Amino acid sequence: MSNQVTILPVKHARYSFKVSFRETNSAGAVGRRFRYFETKSEADSFAREKSVELQNHGTRHATVEDNERAGLIRYREWAATRPDAPTIATLIERAIAAHESERPAYSVAQAIADRLDAVAKRKLSPRHLADLRARLGRFEADFGPQQISTVKPAAIEAWLHRLGVGGETWRNYAKAIGSVFTLAVKRGYLLASPFAGIDRPKVTRQAPSILAPRQLAAVLTASAPELRPLLVLQAFCGLRRAEAGRLAWSHIHFEASPPYVELPSSVTKTNRRRTCELPPCAAAWLQPLAGLPSASLGLTETIYRNRLQDAAADAGVTWENNVLRHSFGTYRLAVTKNAAQVAEEMGNSPAIVRTHYANVTSPEQAAEYWRILPEAGHASVLPFDAGQKAG
C-alpha cells in the first residue's frame, strides 16, 4: 500500500506545501484529503501527527466531522476553567450511560415473555416452544427482575458456565438466551446484544447413536401395527417423528415411479415442502399396513411412547431419542456420498449432515440396512440402489 501521509510541493499564491492523507468519511468510504501549509516545517509537523494518528486509530477514525470538532472545542473551553475536569472520554461514557438510562424500563422477565409470545405466534412445534420455555425459565429465575440494559456479557457467560453442561448444551442455552436479547435490540430496548462479547466453548461432537440393521429389524418386527408406519418413515425416509405423525396415507405414493413420500409445508419443521424417496424396503413394510387415504398416521404422545417402549423391550434394544433419524442419515450418506442430497431429504443443512453422519458406519453395514425386509425380522437382499435420487 502507498504511504498514507505524503508531503508535496504546490504552486499557490499563499501555500508552498500540501499534506495528502487517507481518511474514511462518515459514509464509510476511504479517500484522500489534503491540508495546505505555508512552510515546510508546518507541513512536516502535521504529517508526523497524522501518521501517528493513523497508526493508532486507522483511517476509520482519522476524520473529525465539524460537529465533533465543535464538541471538542466546547470541552476544551470548559475544561480550561476547571482544574478537576474529567477527561473527554469519561464525560462521553457518562453521557452514553445517562442516555441509555432514559430508555423505557424493560426487565429480563418482560423480554423473555415477549420472546415466547413471538415464538408462539409463529406456530412452531409445541416441543420447540416447551424446550425454549424450559431454557429461558432457568435464566429468568436468576435475571428476571433485572433491567435488560444492565445485563453484562460477563454475567451471562458466568451463568452459562455454572450450568455445568457440555459444549453442545451450552450452545443451545446460549442460542435461546441470545434470541431474547436480539429481539430486545430489534424492538429498540438495546443498542446491541451483549452476546457479541461472549466466548463460546469448543464443541467436540460425538458420533450419533444409531441402530445396527439387526436391531432395527427386531424393533420393526416387534412393533404394533399402528406404530410400525411411523418407525419405518423415520428409519428409511429420514422423517422427524413429528413430521411422520402429521401424515395421512394419501401422502405416501406407492404407485409413483419411483415411489415417494410427500411432505407439505404444513407438515415439515421448516415449513418448506419436500419429498423423500420411498425405498423398496420401506414400501415392503408399509404396503401391508396401508389404510384409507384420509386415515392419519399419527398417534397420541402417550400411545406412541408406550408402544415404542414395548417394542424396544421385546427386541432387546436400548432406545435413544432420534436414533431412527440418526440411523437414516448415517446409512443414507454412506451409500449416496452426497451430503446435499441427504440434507434435502432430511430437511436439514449439508453442513449438519456432514458433521453428524459422515464416516460413522461401514459400506457393508449400510448395504445391509437397506435390505431389511418384513420377513420374521431377518434381512434379505433387494435389488435397490439406495443412492438413486427420487424423481
Side-chain angles (χ1 to χ4, degrees), residues 264-302:
S265 59
S266 58
V267 167
T268 66
K269 177 182 178 180
T270 59
N271 295 320
R272 185 171 63 85
R273 180 184 179 277
R274 74 179 195 271
T275 60
C276 301
E277 180 179 345
L278 187 69
C281 55
W285 286 97
L286 292 174
Q287 282 182 313
L289 304 170
L292 296 174
S294 60
S296 171
L297 297 176
L299 298 174
T300 67
E301 180 70 23
T302 300

Side-chain angles (χ1 to χ4, degrees), residues 6-340:
T6 56
I7 302 175
L8 302 170
V10 295
K11 294 181 179 180
H12 188 276
R14 179 177 175 184
Y15 302 110
S16 300
F17 298 93
K18 71 175 180 181
V19 176
S20 170
F21 52 95
R22 294 167 58 86
E23 282 190 348
T24 304
N25 62 24
S26 57
V30 179
R32 283 279 176 183
R33 294 193 63 184
F34 304 95
R35 288 286 297 274
Y36 293 85
F37 301 91
E38 295 181 4
T39 66
K40 182 68 162 53
S41 61
E42 291 174 330
D44 286 337
S45 178
F46 177 83
R48 283 193 299 271
E49 292 179 2
K50 183 59 64 175
S51 295
V52 172
E53 184 178 294
L54 291 175
Q55 183 178 356
N56 291 338
H57 304 292
T59 61
R60 181 174 180 81
H61 299 294
T63 301
V64 179
E65 303 295 336
D66 290 342
N67 63 327
E68 296 168 335
R69 186 176 289 104
L72 177 61
I73 293 172
R74 175 69 184 93
Y75 166 78
R76 286 177 174 175
E77 290 174 345
W78 171 79
T81 65
R82 298 286 300 272
D84 59 341
T87 65
I88 190 171
T90 300
L91 284 182
I92 290 174
E93 288 296 333
R94 290 176 182 173
I96 291 174
H99 180 75
E100 286 297 297
S101 67
E102 295 173 359
R103 291 178 178 271
Y106 193 58
S107 68
V108 171
Q110 288 174 298
I112 289 175
D114 285 348
R115 172 59 180 152
L116 292 173
D117 180 63
V119 172
K121 288 179 178 177
R122 291 176 57 196
K123 300 188 182 303
L124 300 181
S125 71
R127 186 175 180 180
H128 176 85
L129 184 58
D131 180 77
L132 185 64
R133 184 178 285 113
R135 295 182 193 279
L136 295 182
R138 294 186 66 173
F139 189 73
E140 183 178 357
D142 291 330
F143 290 86
Q146 189 170 335
Q147 292 299 300
I148 196 166
S149 60
T150 66
V151 180
K152 303 301 182 185
I156 299 173
E157 189 170 342
W159 184 87
L160 288 168
H161 287 305
R162 284 199 301 272
L163 293 175
V165 296
E168 187 68 29
T169 303
W170 196 101
R171 284 174 176 261
N172 289 336
Y173 268 98
K175 182 179 179 180
I177 298 166
S179 69
V180 173
F181 288 89
T182 298
L183 183 63
V185 172
K186 182 178 179 181
R187 296 188 175 180
Y189 293 103
L190 288 174
L191 285 178
S193 170
F195 268 75
I198 290 179
D199 293 326
R200 288 163 170 76
K202 180 180 178 181
V203 175
T204 302
R205 300 187 185 276
Q206 302 296 324
S209 296
I210 62 174
L211 294 177
R214 59 177 177 76
Q215 291 178 310
L216 176 59
V219 171
L220 292 179
T221 301
S223 63
E226 66 270 24
L227 173 66
R228 194 174 300 149
L230 300 175
L231 303 184
V232 169
L233 290 169
Q234 294 175 70
F236 294 127
C237 301
L239 273 63
R240 297 176 175 88
R241 172 178 162 183
E243 293 174 336
R246 297 187 188 114
L247 293 180
W249 282 103
S250 59
H251 292 114
I252 302 177
H253 299 274
F254 296 106
E255 75 289 349
S257 181
Y260 69 95
V261 180
E262 169 194 1
L263 286 89
S265 59
S266 58
V267 167
T268 66
K269 177 182 178 180
T270 59
N271 295 320
R272 185 171 63 85
R273 180 184 179 277
R274 74 179 195 271
T275 60
C276 301
E277 180 179 345
L278 187 69
C281 55
W285 286 97
L286 292 174
Q287 282 182 313
L289 304 170
L292 296 174
S294 60
S296 171
L297 297 176
L299 298 174
T300 67
E301 180 70 23
T302 300
I303 292 176
Y304 182 98
R305 182 175 61 252
N306 290 342
R307 299 289 189 274
L308 181 57
Q309 287 175 347
D310 291 343
D314 290 345
V317 173
T318 301
W319 200 258
E320 297 190 30
N321 287 335
N322 296 318
V323 69
L324 293 175
R325 185 167 159 87
H326 291 328
S327 297
F328 171 87
T330 298
Y331 291 119
R332 183 68 166 157
L333 184 61
V335 175
T336 65
K337 310 296 184 184
N338 188 332

